[in-house]
């Protein structure tokens, strides 16, 4: 059986016979759940050290007291011989030391694991939601589909208190306008009707005259005239001209 038959896919093939510091190997794989540095230390404590050599000093070429380097093949072969499991490291591989195919395969495997964890978490969360809140969890796609865009909040809005409309207004940015009203008006909820910008005055006026809300401005004798972009008579005239 050739080396290629048992060589772990998470270890770069072109680095098999390279002498490398264990810290670099930590980025590629684990041995039975521990990093190569820990595996090497364990072997030394058990008086079964893995062959190594000293890396020459980068400045003094005659110095051989640099850090220990190990041949990847020696470490992997020892682990395989002991029946240890070689698996990918938790962190991303060092891309410069991997061929494109191996890197792509690793990323796909990682995405699959993340997806499986996400599905399990969603199922567990759904069960908890039913138990704790009596409500079903909503999928992310459904949340996004129902999301309101700030750019799509043009319309006529209604401030409500005790099940009565207390104010009618219009805005091209309703959320911002509501924040202003919360400082000066007493209301417990709101709703709004989307409307094209050029029709805001007409729609707002119709609802103001129909509902005569408490907070709407008034003028004239005893507030007989309610403030609106159009008077009711003007609205009638607009309707007659259609």
């Amino acid at each position: 059986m050739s080396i290629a038959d048992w060589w772990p896919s998470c270890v770069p093939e072109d680095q098999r016979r390279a002498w490398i510091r264990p810290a670099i190997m930590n980025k590629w794989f684990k041995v039975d759940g521990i990093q190569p540095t820990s595996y090497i230390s364990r072997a030394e404590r058990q008086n079964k050290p893995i062959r190594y050599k000293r890396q020459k000093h980068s400045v003094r070429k005659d110095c051989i007291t640099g850090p220990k380097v190990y041949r990847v093949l020696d470490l992997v072969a020892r682990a395989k011989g002991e029946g240890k499991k070689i698996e990918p490291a938790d962190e991303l591989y060092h891309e410069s030391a991997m061929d494109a195919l191996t890197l792509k395969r690793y990323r796909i495997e990682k995405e699959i694991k993340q997806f499986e964890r996400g599905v399990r978490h969603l199922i567990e969360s759904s069960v908890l939601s039913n138990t704790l809140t009596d409500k079903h969890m909503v999928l992310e796609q459904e949340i996004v589909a129902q999301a309101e865009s700030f750019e799509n909040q043009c319309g006529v809005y209604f401030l409500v208190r005790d099940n009565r409309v207390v104010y009618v207004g219009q805005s091209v940015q309703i959320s911002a306008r509501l924040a202003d009203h919360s400082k000066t008006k007493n209301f417990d909820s709101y709703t709004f009707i989307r409307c094209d910008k050029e029709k805001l005055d007409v729609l707002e006026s119709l609802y103001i005259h129909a509902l005569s809300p408490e907070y709407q401005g008034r003028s004239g004798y005893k507030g007989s005239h309610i403030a609106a972009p159009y008077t009711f008579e003007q609205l009638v005239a607009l309707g007659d001209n259609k």
Side-chain angles (χ1 to χ4, degrees), residues 13 49 113 133 164 205 220:
E13 295 182 7
K113 289 180 180 179
T133 69
R164 296 296 303 272
S205 298

Side-chain angles (χ1 to χ4, degrees), residues 26-46:
N26 289 344
K27 299 178 180 180
W28 299 339
F29 63 95
K30 296 185 294 186
V31 180
D32 261 10
I34 63 174
Q35 294 182 323
T37 48
S38 300
Y39 178 66
I40 291 170
S41 298
R42 179 185 294 178
E44 291 176 349
R45 291 195 301 271
Q46 295 173 346

Side-chain angles (χ1 to χ4, degrees), residues 203-219:
L203 189 62
E204 180 190 19
S205 298
L206 286 168
Y207 277 105
I208 288 174
H209 291 297
L211 300 174
S212 189
E214 174 186 338
Y215 287 139
Q216 225 70 40
R218 285 172 169 77
S219 61

Side-chain angles (χ1 to χ4, degrees), residues 13-79:
E13 295 182 7
D14 59 349
Q15 299 294 315
R16 286 176 185 167
R17 301 184 185 279
W19 292 86
I20 295 175
R21 284 180 295 170
I24 295 178
M25 298 186 205
N26 289 344
K27 299 178 180 180
W28 299 339
F29 63 95
K30 296 185 294 186
V31 180
D32 261 10
I34 63 174
Q35 294 182 323
T37 48
S38 300
Y39 178 66
I40 291 170
S41 298
R42 179 185 294 178
E44 291 176 349
R45 291 195 301 271
Q46 295 173 346
N47 293 321
K48 296 187 293 184
I50 299 172
R51 184 172 58 136
Y52 69 88
K53 64 181 181 180
R54 292 284 183 177
Q55 189 176 45
K56 289 186 177 181
H57 199 281
S58 59
V59 178
R60 294 181 54 192
K61 302 301 181 182
D62 60 331
C63 179
I64 56 172
T65 58
K68 293 179 180 179
V69 289
Y70 296 80
R71 197 169 64 154
V72 181
L73 177 60
D74 293 338
L75 195 148
V76 172
R78 168 72 69 84

Side-chain angles (χ1 to χ4, degrees), residues 157-169 181 185-190 208 211-218 226:
Y157 59 88
F158 308 87
L159 306 185
V160 179
R161 186 184 72 242
D162 298 331
N163 298 319
R164 296 296 303 272
V165 174
V166 295
Y167 185 81
V168 177
H181 284 311
K185 295 179 177 63
N186 180 20
F187 62 99
D188 52 42
S189 57
Y190 79 95
I208 288 174
L211 300 174
S212 189
E214 174 186 338
Y215 287 139
Q216 225 70 40
R218 285 172 169 77
I226 194 166

Side-chain angles (χ1 to χ4, degrees), residues 181-233:
H181 284 311
S182 65
K183 302 173 184 177
T184 59
K185 295 179 177 63
N186 180 20
F187 62 99
D188 52 42
S189 57
Y190 79 95
T191 187
F192 69 95
I193 299 173
R194 288 188 178 85
C195 178
D196 294 335
K197 186 176 180 180
E198 60 272 15
K199 296 180 180 179
L200 285 174
D201 286 346
V202 172
L203 189 62
E204 180 190 19
S205 298
L206 286 168
Y207 277 105
I208 288 174
H209 291 297
L211 300 174
S212 189
E214 174 186 338
Y215 287 139
Q216 225 70 40
R218 285 172 169 77
S219 61
Y221 180 69
K222 293 185 178 181
S224 57
H225 298 290
I226 194 166
Y230 289 100
T231 65
F232 189 74
E233 290 74 16

Side-chain angles (χ1 to χ4, degrees), residues 83-112:
K84 306 294 185 183
K85 182 180 180 181
I86 306 291
E87 56 188 353
D90 294 329
E91 60 184 289
L92 283 176
Y93 291 147
H94 200 276
E95 296 190 20
S96 62
M98 299 184 65
D99 60 89
L101 182 60
T102 303
L103 179 60
K104 184 176 181 179
R105 179 167 55 191
Y106 167 75
R107 286 177 171 169
I108 291 174
E109 291 174 350
K110 184 176 181 181
E111 288 175 2
I112 291 174

